[in-house]
């Protein structure tokens, strides 16, 4: 059975490693089919594609788009699209706008909480200044010795109700799915178990997602527990969605699961790659 990993990040967004190093780690871990899915950015694709093909992996174009839906941030993964598509590129640029202003507001809140120079500190961990994010602030807080790991940071800072949390208005669900489909790709709801959605809200999200042309949902992901693999396999079948698998790898010391290390999809679901002629 193919080892397929369709969700991970490089330092082009909030990962720690350059795209070629992520590719090498995926290959070393036995990945056969791989997608780099940086947040709201596809400029890492050329390096990722070249490295993957050079290592003998099948490469799939990917991106993870931030969406505001019902006052929550939802992530939509796009796969198998034309990375030269201008509408997609313009949409991602518009989604990235405002990150620097938000980052300065986050730093001001952290300063009031006794963490100085957080903006400058976060920038030291940024590979792409256009994509400064909470993860970069978290790495700076760890560097200062205030918290021991990312999980502790996000229990004390940078989340709603804690110092450093500043909401941002991302793309709409309709826009994100439309950009992906317009570029010839398929749209997948990323790690649904991470969102604070009760059954009625999840039903509304998935029905709206399907209405816009979305086709998949992540079932086996580093952001889900083993119990949630079965839960979201049931969700995939109920809504007629294809199932995806991805580690959501960011960095060796931070990620719940390494590249390629997840269990296989349950046999009861249809993989998003079922017709890719792999």
């Amino acid at each position: 059975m193919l080892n397929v990993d369709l969700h991970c990040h490089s330092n082009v967004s909030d990962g720690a490693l350059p795209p070629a190093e992520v590719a090498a780690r995926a290959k070393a871990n036995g990945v056969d089919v791989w997608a780099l899915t940086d947040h709201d950015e596809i400029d890492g694709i050329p390096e990722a594609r070249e490295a993957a093909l050079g290592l003998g992996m099948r490469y799939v174009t990917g991106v993870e788009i931030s969406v505001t839906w019902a006052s929550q941030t939802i992530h939509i993964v796009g796969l198998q699209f034309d990375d030269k598509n201008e509408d997609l590129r313009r949409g991602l640029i518009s989604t990235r706008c405002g990150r620097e202003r938000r980052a300065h507001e986050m730093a001001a809140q952290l300063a009031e909480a006794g963490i100085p120079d957080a903006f400058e500190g976060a920038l030291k961990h940024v590979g792409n200044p256009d994509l400064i994010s909470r993860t970069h602030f978290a790495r700076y807080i760890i560097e200062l010795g205030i918290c021991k790991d990312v999980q502790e940071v996000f229990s004390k800072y940078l989340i709603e109700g804690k110092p450093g949390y500043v909401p941002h208005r991302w793309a709409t669900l309709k826009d994100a799915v439309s950009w992906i489909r317009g570029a010839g790709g398929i749209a997948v709801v990323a790690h649904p178990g991470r969102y604070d959605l009760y059954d009625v809200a999840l039903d509304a999200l998935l029905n709206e997602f399907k209405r816009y042309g979305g086709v998949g949902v992540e079932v086996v992901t580093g952001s889900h527990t083993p119990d949630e693999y079965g839960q979201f396999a049931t969700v995939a079948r109920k809504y007629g969605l294809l199932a995806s698998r991805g580690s959501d790898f960011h960095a060796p010391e931070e990620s719940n699961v390494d590249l390629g290390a997840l269990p296989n999809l349950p046999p009861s679901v249809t993989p998003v790659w079922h017709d890719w002629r792999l």
Side-chain angles (χ1 to χ4, degrees):
M1 188 172 291
L2 290 173
N3 188 336
V4 180
D5 197 317
L6 301 177
H7 187 161
C8 64
H9 301 274
S10 75
N11 65 357
V12 174
S13 64
D14 61 345
L17 305 177
E21 291 187 27
V22 183
R25 191 178 186 93
K27 177 64 176 179
N29 288 355
V31 173
D32 302 299
V33 184
W34 175 63
L36 178 69
T37 56
D38 278 318
H39 289 284
D40 307 314
E41 176 64 271
I42 56 177
D43 280 356
I45 285 179
E47 180 183 336
R49 179 190 289 119
E50 181 180 4
L53 296 179
L55 290 164
M57 287 190 294
R58 165 72 186 271
Y59 183 71
V60 176
T61 50
V63 68
E64 186 174 12
I65 302 178
S66 307
V67 164
T68 300
W69 184 86
S71 301
Q72 285 203 53
T73 299
I74 305 293
H75 291 158
I76 302 297
V77 167
L79 299 168
Q80 285 281 68
F81 53 81
D82 174 10
D83 56 301
K84 301 294 193 297
N85 182 273
E86 286 301 319
D87 286 340
L88 172 62
R89 286 188 165 273
R90 282 193 293 268
L92 295 178
I93 290 170
S94 69
T95 301
R96 294 195 299 270
C97 288
R99 277 186 181 262
E100 183 175 353
R101 175 197 56 76
R102 175 180 179 242
H104 280 292
E105 292 181 23
M106 292 164 65
Q109 288 191 24
L110 291 171
E112 291 180 4
I115 303 175
D117 305 318
F119 180 80
E120 293 77 11
L123 277 180
K124 293 190 297 182
H125 297 275
V126 172
N128 180 353
D130 288 340
L131 283 169
I132 187 169
S133 72
R134 293 186 306 159
T135 301
H136 302 117
F137 282 95
R139 290 174 183 152
Y140 174 62
I141 292 169
I142 294 166
E143 179 186 315
L144 293 179
I146 295 170
C147 295
K148 67 178 184 299
D149 55 31
V150 171
Q151 288 72 26
E152 183 181 355
V153 173
F154 284 119
S155 71
K156 297 179 178 178
Y157 305 96
L158 306 173
I159 60 171
E160 190 168 3
K162 304 290 185 179
Y165 175 75
V166 178
H168 183 74
R169 187 77 187 174
W170 305 110
T172 67
L173 180 62
K174 181 178 181 179
D175 282 344
V177 176
S178 296
W179 296 335
I180 293 164
R181 294 188 68 215
I186 64 171
V188 175
V189 176
H191 40 59
R194 276 180 45 179
Y195 311 129
D196 185 20
L197 297 174
Y198 52 93
D199 289 347
V200 173
L202 180 62
D203 178 75
L205 170 66
L206 295 179
N207 279 313
E208 185 175 342
F209 173 71
K210 285 190 66 178
R211 189 164 67 249
Y212 298 142
V215 301
V217 62
E218 286 187 344
V219 170
V220 176
T221 161
S223 298
H224 284 174
T225 65
D227 285 346
E228 287 174 326
Y229 302 159
Q231 175 187 343
F232 288 104
T234 299
V235 166
R237 294 194 303 272
K238 176 181 177 180
Y239 290 89
L241 294 168
L242 302 176
S244 194
R245 174 184 188 264
S247 58
D248 200 6
F249 174 84
H250 284 73
E253 301 83 16
E254 296 174 6
S255 301
N256 294 330
V257 177
D258 208 343
L259 285 150
L262 289 165
N264 293 320
L265 288 174
S268 60
V269 296
T270 302
V272 292
W273 59 87
H274 75 105
D275 61 352
W276 287 359
R277 299 180 183 175
L278 298 175

